[in-house]
Structures are given as C-alpha cells and as structure tokens.
Amino acid sequence: MRSPTLRQEWFGNVRGDLLSGLVVALALIPEAIAFSIIAGVDPSVGLYASFCIAVVIAFTGGRPGMISAATGAMALVMVTLVRDHGLQYLLAATLLTGVLQIVAGALKLGALMRFVSRSVITGFVNALAILIFMAQIPELIGVPALVYPMVALGLAIIYGLPWLGRRTFPGVGLVLLVIGLALTFGSMDARLLYPVAIVGLGAAAVLFRWTRNLVIPAPLVAIVLLTGLALYFGAVVPTVGDKGALPDSLPVFLFPDVPLTLETLWIILPVSATLTVVGLLESLLTAQIVDDLTDTPSNKNRECAGQGVANIAAGFLGGMAGCAMIGQSVINVKSGGRGRLSCLVAGVVLLMLVVFAGPWVATIPMAALVAVMIMVSIGTFSWSSIQQLRTHPGTSSIVMLGTVIVTVATHDLAKGVLTGVLLSALFFARKVSRVLHVGSHAHAEGTARTYMVTGQVFFASAERFVSAFDVREALERVTIDVSAAHFWDLSAVGALDKVVLKFRREGAQVEIVGLDAASATMVDRLGVHDKPDAERLMGGH
C-alpha cells in the first residue's frame, strides 16, 4: 500500500480535520485535568503536556489522525515519583523518557509489537481500566454527601445523552433549553454564565439534530451542567481549583531544577524506563487500531521516535510524559479526522480554551471529573473478554488474567506486560515442542533402521527428541533423516550429539541426512559427535 504524501497527510481532509480537532480539544480538557490529579500534580502540568504533545506529534508522529496527550496509563506510573521526590523529578523523568523513546525508534523497536499477543494487549487494556477506576476511589472517601448524587447525575448524563440523542436528539436539545432558560431567569448575578451555557448547549443540540455522532461530547455537557448546578445552588464540594492553580499564560521553556548527578539518574531511570515501555506499547497499540479503522498504513518506528520528541518538548515546557490516547484517537477518526491537522488543531484549541477560560475551569466540581474518569474506565475495559474466558483456549485466558493480576498488584503496567509476554512465550514453546514427531522403519533384515524427524528441535523439545530413539536395539547402521526438522539452539545440537554417541557406543554406524543450511551451520559449529575425542567433549557439553 502506497504511503500518503506530505500534502495528503496535512491538507487532504481539511474540513473533517478541523471539526474533529475541535471536538477532541473539548474532550481533552476534563481528561487532562483528571490525569493530572491521578499523578498528583497541578492541572496545569497535564494541560500543558496535552497541548505540547498534541502539537509536536502532529509533525513528528508516524500515524496521521492519531491523538497523543497526557494519559491515564502514564499518570499511574508517575504517582510514586511525584509523591516521594516532587514535580521537578517528574519533569526530568519525562525528558529521559523522551530520549529512551527516540533510541527505541532508532533501533526500530516498533517491530517488536508483533511479539505482543492479543491476550497480553487485552490484559493490558483491562488492567489500565481497573487502575483508572481505583484512582477515583480516594475522591469518593471523606467527601460531602452531595458528591455521590453529583457523580451519579454525571454518569446519567454521559451515558443517557448519547443514547437519547440517537433516538430523540431534538427532544434532548429542548430539555436542555428548558433547564437553561429556567436557571437563567432565576439568576440575577454572576452565576448567569452557566445557565446561559446550558442554553447554548441545548440550542446546539437542536441545530445538530441531523448529526449521527454527538457533536458536543457528552462528558463536556455533564461537566458544564454539574458546574452550573453547583454554582447556582452554592454547593460546597471539592473543585478543580482546590487541586492547584490553573495556567493563565502560555507555557515557558524551563529546565528541571534537579541535581545533575548519578543519584538523580538512578531515581528517575526506573520510572522513565517504565514510562517508555508503557507509552510505546499504548501508542503502537493505538496506531494499529487506527490503521484498521482507516485502512491506511503507519510508520511504527517513526511513531516511537516522534513520541520521544514530543515528550522532550513537554518536559521542557513543564508538562508530564504522555502517549497516544486510544479513546480520543477513536473519537477523532469517527468524527472525520484523518490527517495531521486534526491533532494540531486539538492541541492549539486546547491551550486557547485553558488560558482564556482558566477561572471557569477552576470551578468544575471534582465529582464531574470522577464521573468522566469512571466513563473512561468502563469504556476502556474489554467486557467481551469476560465472556471469552469460556470460549478461548485456557492458555490465552491465563496470559490475559496474569497480565491483569500482576499489573493491578504492582500498579506497574510494564511489569504486567512483561509477565504476559513471558507467559505467552512459555505456552508457545510448550505447544511447539509437542509438534515434534520421530518415526522409523527397519530394513536389511532388521540390521538397519531409518528414523524420520519432523518438527522443531529446541530447548523445550530436546528431551522428547532423545527419548524417541531406541538406542538399545541391536543395529549395524542407523540413518537419521532430519529433512523435515529444524535445529534451533545449543540444546537441540546437544540432543543430536547425545543420540549419535549413544548409538555409536552400541556399535552402530550413524548417518545424519537432510540438514537444512541453517541447522547444518549450527551443528558444524556447536556439535561434537564428529570431532576427535567426542566422548570427552560431550562430558563437558
């Protein structure tokens, strides 16, 4: 498939990219703030990161139409570092993460994604969903009782509005209009802004009555509505402003204020390594999903390096590390976004909204963001994987569950993925080792026998290979035909040496035929059965 030109990537879908970029920018605000709070930093850190990463990756990434910003997967990795050492060490870790990702791109490690099985990916996504949900629990403990009905109302809006919109979208718009007008006429002070906003949302719902997709994101409707209700009724609940100051100016270049010592390196290196693995895994997974949705190719190695450049830029502008966002990328594609312009527009509009609307954003109740993150958690979890536990092979289910359990237990997505990959490799080796078959037939009145070996001989099947030969049989000549087999490693060569030498001890002449070129090279280099003093060499093999 031919790769698109630079002009096609940027200007091949201008109208669709502009509109989808606006939608994504609106949806990014609550998630960037919520992810900042998960990581334990001011909302400005996540907002600056989302702006910077989205803008930079639009130029450097390998997958047009994919959205990258601050994410929950990355935020979860940062919690301990921020708690123990503070924001400056997080910025330093972000820079190192970018460097490691550029190295990964240069080494073409994007190709390693093919070794991550579907079961591992499913486990990774499920564990991410569970951890995001668990991160909301502290926001629901020791809070005013009003928080709970607000969260419930937020979820009802988030799920109910799209459901109603697909059926009676004009009716939903009219309901919003009625609520907004009632609150507007009942307000006589500065709180008028929020009822007016509800009126605007209701009018927009009516105007977009023929739009198949929800043009105004339901999470944004929930946030505006809950914020307006909280202000109108003077509800005393935790707000975004309570978590830290929001930015009121453009980000500025800064270098992390940390000692440039080996001690600092050892503090940030484990976190940066984990961020690198998690970020690349989620980015490459998202790239594959967008490839499938758009039926277009992407450059995975360029994506690795591009994510690194974006994270370095974010670190220098006071933002935390980020990566591709599965949910936002799907929203972008389904809203018509296909090119790099959509990601650029999303980043620029996000910054404009935050800088010029910061005081309004500070009044958002935390209950609204908790509802949004619960929605993200529910939408991220692969619910079909539960039903598939009955139908999928047991080994696949074990890999998926192992990935989830280790990730949730350690709160380390990289360890969970590593566990899943290792389990997949072990099960694969066990399965392949069982494919080995050794048959034989006798001739020359029982004084000679030919063994036919079929399958793969390596460390997991070497013992089965040796046990398949009857070395006690009285034979003058033995032929081992390996034309349908392949020898992979030192264990396989050692097993062949052992069989040949055992037959020779019993007085039989042994001939090996059919070695393919790669196997022959390995046997010639590592084998000892045809070397002088083979018995002594075999003893130390």
Side-chain angles (χ1 to χ4, degrees), residues 207-362:
L207 290 174
F208 291 109
R209 58 177 295 179
W210 301 116
T211 304
R212 289 188 61 187
N213 297 318
L214 190 63
V215 173
I216 302 175
L220 183 65
V221 175
I223 289 170
V224 172
L225 183 58
L226 289 178
T227 303
L229 291 174
L231 288 174
Y232 183 77
F233 292 106
V236 180
V237 292
T239 64
V240 170
D242 297 333
K243 298 295 182 179
L246 289 171
D248 56 3
S249 62
L250 298 175
V252 295
F253 179 87
L254 56 89
F255 192 85
D257 185 17
V258 296
L260 299 179
T261 62
L262 282 176
E263 181 181 359
T264 300
L265 178 62
W266 295 130
I267 290 173
I268 66 175
L269 182 58
V271 177
S272 295
T274 303
L275 288 171
T276 298
V277 173
V278 171
L280 291 182
L281 181 67
E282 186 162 3
S283 296
L284 295 176
L285 170 61
T286 305
Q288 186 61 53
I289 292 173
V290 178
D291 287 354
D292 296 339
L293 287 174
T294 61
D295 195 26
T296 56
S298 61
N299 187 330
K300 304 298 191 297
N301 294 316
R302 178 179 174 179
E303 186 62 39
C304 292
Q307 293 287 338
V309 174
N311 279 323
I312 290 176
F316 280 133
L317 293 178
M320 62 190 198
C323 63
M325 306 180 77
I326 296 176
Q328 299 300 342
S329 297
V330 172
I331 289 174
N332 186 50
V333 171
K334 290 187 175 181
S335 299
R338 292 293 185 274
R340 297 181 179 276
L341 188 61
S342 59
C343 193
L344 177 63
V345 169
V348 172
V349 172
L350 169 66
L351 183 66
M352 293 174 60
L353 289 172
V354 169
V355 170
F356 296 108
W360 301 339
V361 174

Side-chain angles (χ1 to χ4, degrees), residues 111-448:
L112 294 179
M113 185 64 186
R114 66 177 182 268
F115 295 107
V116 180
S117 69
R118 177 60 59 181
S119 299
V120 176
I121 293 173
T122 302
F124 171 84
V125 170
N126 288 347
L128 172 60
I130 293 171
L131 290 178
I132 291 175
F133 180 82
M134 291 173 61
Q136 308 314 307
I137 295 177
E139 301 296 335
L140 299 174
I141 297 176
V143 294
L146 185 59
V147 169
Y148 303 110
M150 290 185 72
V151 171
L153 178 59
L155 289 171
I157 295 170
I158 289 171
Y159 287 106
L161 187 58
W163 183 82
L164 289 172
R166 287 192 294 268
R167 291 160 175 77
T168 56
F169 202 55
V172 175
L174 291 174
V175 170
L176 285 173
L177 278 173
V178 171
I179 295 174
L181 289 171
L183 293 175
T184 299
F185 288 124
S187 299
M188 300 301 294
D189 53 26
R191 292 175 294 180
L192 180 67
L193 171 67
Y194 291 96
V196 169
I198 296 174
V199 172
L201 289 171
V206 174
L207 290 174
F208 291 109
R209 58 177 295 179
W210 301 116
T211 304
R212 289 188 61 187
N213 297 318
L214 190 63
V215 173
I216 302 175
L220 183 65
V221 175
I223 289 170
V224 172
L225 183 58
L226 289 178
T227 303
L229 291 174
L231 288 174
Y232 183 77
F233 292 106
V236 180
V237 292
T239 64
V240 170
D242 297 333
K243 298 295 182 179
L246 289 171
D248 56 3
S249 62
L250 298 175
V252 295
F253 179 87
L254 56 89
F255 192 85
D257 185 17
V258 296
L260 299 179
T261 62
L262 282 176
E263 181 181 359
T264 300
L265 178 62
W266 295 130
I267 290 173
I268 66 175
L269 182 58
V271 177
S272 295
T274 303
L275 288 171
T276 298
V277 173
V278 171
L280 291 182
L281 181 67
E282 186 162 3
S283 296
L284 295 176
L285 170 61
T286 305
Q288 186 61 53
I289 292 173
V290 178
D291 287 354
D292 296 339
L293 287 174
T294 61
D295 195 26
T296 56
S298 61
N299 187 330
K300 304 298 191 297
N301 294 316
R302 178 179 174 179
E303 186 62 39
C304 292
Q307 293 287 338
V309 174
N311 279 323
I312 290 176
F316 280 133
L317 293 178
M320 62 190 198
C323 63
M325 306 180 77
I326 296 176
Q328 299 300 342
S329 297
V330 172
I331 289 174
N332 186 50
V333 171
K334 290 187 175 181
S335 299
R338 292 293 185 274
R340 297 181 179 276
L341 188 61
S342 59
C343 193
L344 177 63
V345 169
V348 172
V349 172
L350 169 66
L351 183 66
M352 293 174 60
L353 289 172
V354 169
V355 170
F356 296 108
W360 301 339
V361 174
T363 62
I364 296 173
M366 283 302 301
L369 295 185
V370 170
V372 171
M373 295 314 299
I374 290 176
M375 178 271 294
V376 171
S377 170
I378 294 173
T380 301
F381 194 90
S382 176
W383 297 100
S384 61
S385 64
I386 298 177
Q387 182 180 1
Q388 290 166 351
L389 289 174
R390 295 182 176 181
T391 58
H392 281 189
T395 54
S396 297
S397 298
I398 291 173
V399 169
M400 189 273 286
L401 292 173
T403 303
V404 172
I405 292 171
V406 172
T407 302
V408 173
T410 63
H411 283 234
D412 191 329
L413 291 160
K415 288 179 180 177
V417 170
L418 179 60
T419 299
V421 170
L422 290 176
L423 285 174
S424 296
L426 288 174
F427 287 136
F428 175 76
R430 178 170 173 267
K431 183 176 182 178
V432 172
S433 69
R434 291 184 172 184
V435 175
L436 181 69
H437 173 72
V438 180
S440 69
H441 64 267
H443 45 85
E445 298 181 354
T447 61

Side-chain angles (χ1 to χ4, degrees), residues 36-124:
S36 299
I37 293 168
I38 288 176
V41 296
D42 288 344
S44 60
V45 178
L47 291 166
Y48 279 158
S50 293
F51 149 72
C52 183
I53 293 172
V55 169
V56 174
I57 204 68
F59 295 92
T60 63
R63 172 63 263 179
M66 189 167 74
I67 304 298
S68 295
T71 65
M74 302 289 267
L76 291 166
V77 178
M78 306 170 186
V79 175
T80 303
L81 179 65
V82 173
R83 184 187 64 214
D84 295 343
H85 300 282
L87 173 62
Q88 295 301 317
Y89 278 83
L90 172 59
L91 299 181
T94 298
L95 295 178
L96 182 57
T97 298
V99 172
L100 293 176
Q101 289 178 330
I102 292 175
V103 171
L107 295 177
K108 301 187 183 304
L109 296 184
L112 294 179
M113 185 64 186
R114 66 177 182 268
F115 295 107
V116 180
S117 69
R118 177 60 59 181
S119 299
V120 176
I121 293 173
T122 302
F124 171 84

